Amino acid sequence: MTAPNTSVLLIYTGGTIGMIENPETGALENFDFEHLQKHVPELLKFKFPIDTYQFDPPMDSSDMEPDMWQKLVRIIYENYDRYRGFVILHGTDTMAYTASALSFMLENLDKPVILTGSQLPIGVLRTDGKENLMTSIEIAAACNGEGKSLVPEVCIFFENHLMRGNRTTKLSAENFNAFGSFNYPVLAEAGIHIKYNNVQIHVNGERRKLIPHYLLDTNVAVLKLFPGIQEDVVATILEIKGLKALVLETYGSGNAPRKDWFIRRLCEASKRGVVIVNVTQCNAGTVEMERYETGYQLLQAGVVSGYDSTTESAIAKLMFLLGHGYSPEEVRLRMNRSIAGEITIQTEE
């Protein structure tokens, strides 16, 4: 019987980290994760139990859907009191989406939920998977002298950096340093020692009961602006049947074309109840619609600021809010508030 609250649950969803090369075909295939110890014997050096849960069959992260987010929340909730922390092995392609969603769906979280993976399979000689896995487990189990978790939030650990999950985005399909957190400092850096950035880590006051959320509404879309975008393209997206929210990826600090048809289309959609959230196409920086006339027109059309949110976080947050049945106006208000540290609002500083 596993001792309560002294171990880590390792949840394998799929992804490159859990693949092995077929010697006959050369293709990468998922291996039975029960054999993890064979590939990572270093796991025996941990002085606490590590239990595993495997998705059957394992999933490529390109196939990760909101129902799998709900499954992860359920696994964590049902095992919450048995473990000190949780490590989720996940493909890199949609990891930032999953991390963002879990940050909203796990209310009052006071234990680490660390997502990690690798660019090379764990059975390959130069794999980055072992280091990512071992350090993620160490962070998931880390506590202070009072027994409280050092990082009680949903994070991504990759290539020596621990990042707030809803602040990350995938940067590279080639480099080991695959993720970045441009608008928020890293929570920890792993070198010879793991150095925690305690000032930036979210800490709950009094301990509260974990509240799992399962309601999500996927009637959202993303529109990325580009020079020469046609009215028919914008109109087709804004008039999608059942559309409830749109993430609008604009230029710079939240700017968009000043064409009459463009502003009119946005205004009409807003009046119909479509929530339009403005996020920048830039990796770093924040939306300031009051700064330039082009952005101010969006504000007048009913578009709300996404501040320094990533696109992944904005999408997950909208699904979360819409799933709870809030009115369009209430969703707009809540998009302008931080739920899980996903945005920085200048007036709050």
Side-chain angles (χ1 to χ4, degrees):
M1 185 74 176
T2 300
N5 205 25
T6 60
S7 53
V8 169
L9 181 61
L10 186 61
I11 305 169
Y12 174 59
T13 68
T16 300
I17 193 170
M19 291 183 173
I20 194 166
E21 187 175 302
N22 185 312
E24 295 180 2
T25 66
L28 292 177
E29 301 173 351
N30 286 291
F31 69 83
D32 184 349
F33 221 65
E34 293 298 321
H35 298 119
L36 175 65
Q37 191 170 300
K38 170 186 172 184
H39 297 274
V40 193
E42 295 88 348
L43 288 172
L44 293 173
K45 295 184 178 180
F46 285 112
K47 303 300 182 185
F48 51 82
I50 300 171
D51 294 338
T52 61
Y53 182 103
Q54 178 175 338
F55 276 27
D56 187 17
M59 299 181 62
D60 186 288
S61 72
S62 298
D63 293 321
M64 186 65 65
E65 296 283 341
D67 60 337
M68 291 298 102
W69 301 342
Q70 295 164 339
K71 180 177 180 178
L72 285 168
V73 168
R74 189 168 290 108
I75 292 167
I76 292 168
Y77 178 66
E78 291 176 352
N79 292 280
Y80 196 65
D81 293 332
R82 294 181 57 205
Y83 296 97
R84 182 175 288 172
F86 302 84
V87 174
I88 300 173
L89 300 182
H90 194 293
T92 58
D93 288 347
T94 59
M95 188 184 292
Y97 290 94
T98 298
S100 295
L102 294 183
S103 74
F104 304 126
M105 297 169 75
L106 294 167
E107 185 179 348
N108 296 335
L109 181 70
D110 66 355
K111 296 181 181 182
V113 175
I114 314 295
L115 285 85
T116 194
S118 66
Q119 296 287 63
L120 286 175
I122 209 158
V124 173
L125 184 63
R126 292 181 53 249
T127 183
D128 54 327
K130 284 188 180 182
E131 189 62 40
N132 287 344
L133 172 60
M134 299 292 285
T135 308
S136 294
I137 292 173
E138 186 171 344
I139 293 172
C143 293
N144 61 19
E146 299 175 352
K148 294 182 179 179
S149 297
L150 293 184
V151 191
E153 55 177 293
V154 179
C155 305
I156 286 178
F157 181 83
F158 229 88
E159 187 64 4
N160 300 324
H161 291 119
L162 182 72
M163 297 158 280
R164 176 167 292 165
N166 56 34
R167 292 287 193 152
T168 61
T169 193
K170 186 176 180 182
L171 302 176
S172 174
E174 291 289 327
N175 297 327
F176 286 149
N177 189 18
F179 288 88
S181 174
F182 293 98
N183 289 323
Y184 199 78
V186 298
L187 304 184
E189 293 185 59
I192 295 176
H193 303 286
I194 299 175
K195 296 180 179 179
Y196 293 92
N197 188 355
N198 294 315
V199 174
Q200 305 298 338
I201 296 172
H202 171 75
V203 178
N204 291 313
E206 60 185 52
R207 184 172 183 180
R208 299 176 182 175
K209 185 177 177 61
L210 178 70
I211 301 174
H213 293 281
Y214 303 103
L215 301 176
L216 297 166
D217 190 326
T218 59
N219 286 295
V220 302
V222 178
L223 175 59
K224 184 169 185 172
L225 298 183
F226 58 88
I229 192 169
Q230 296 296 302
E231 181 176 1
D232 287 349
V233 173
V234 175
T236 299
I237 292 176
L238 288 173
E239 293 171 7
I240 293 173
K241 185 178 180 181
L243 182 69
K244 295 181 180 179
L246 177 78
V247 175
L248 183 66
E249 291 192 348
T250 57
Y251 308 126
S253 57
N255 302 313
R258 287 181 288 178
K259 296 177 181 178
D260 290 340
W261 64 260
F262 181 71
I263 300 300
R264 175 170 51 82
R265 292 284 186 180
L266 294 179
C267 192
E268 290 171 353
S270 293
K271 289 179 179 178
R272 290 198 307 270
V274 177
V275 178
I276 305 174
V277 180
N278 185 355
V279 301
T280 175
Q281 295 179 17
C282 303
N283 284 329
T286 189
V287 165
E288 299 177 80
M289 288 192 285
E290 302 88 349
R291 188 172 178 181
Y292 299 104
E293 182 183 353
T294 53
Y296 189 69
Q297 286 185 313
L298 297 180
L299 200 60
Q300 291 181 311
V303 177
V304 297
S305 176
Y307 296 91
D308 56 350
S309 173
T310 63
T311 295
E312 296 93 330
S313 180
I315 291 170
K317 187 175 179 180
L318 284 168
M319 288 184 182
F320 173 79
L321 294 174
L322 292 170
H324 285 72
Y326 295 120
S327 67
E329 189 54 42
E330 183 66 20
V331 172
R332 293 185 182 104
L333 288 173
R334 289 175 183 263
M335 288 302 294
N336 281 174
R337 300 175 192 162
S338 176
I339 297 177
E342 72 281 1
I343 54 176
T344 307
I345 301 177
Q346 300 299 327
T347 56
E348 292 184 351
E349 293 184 346

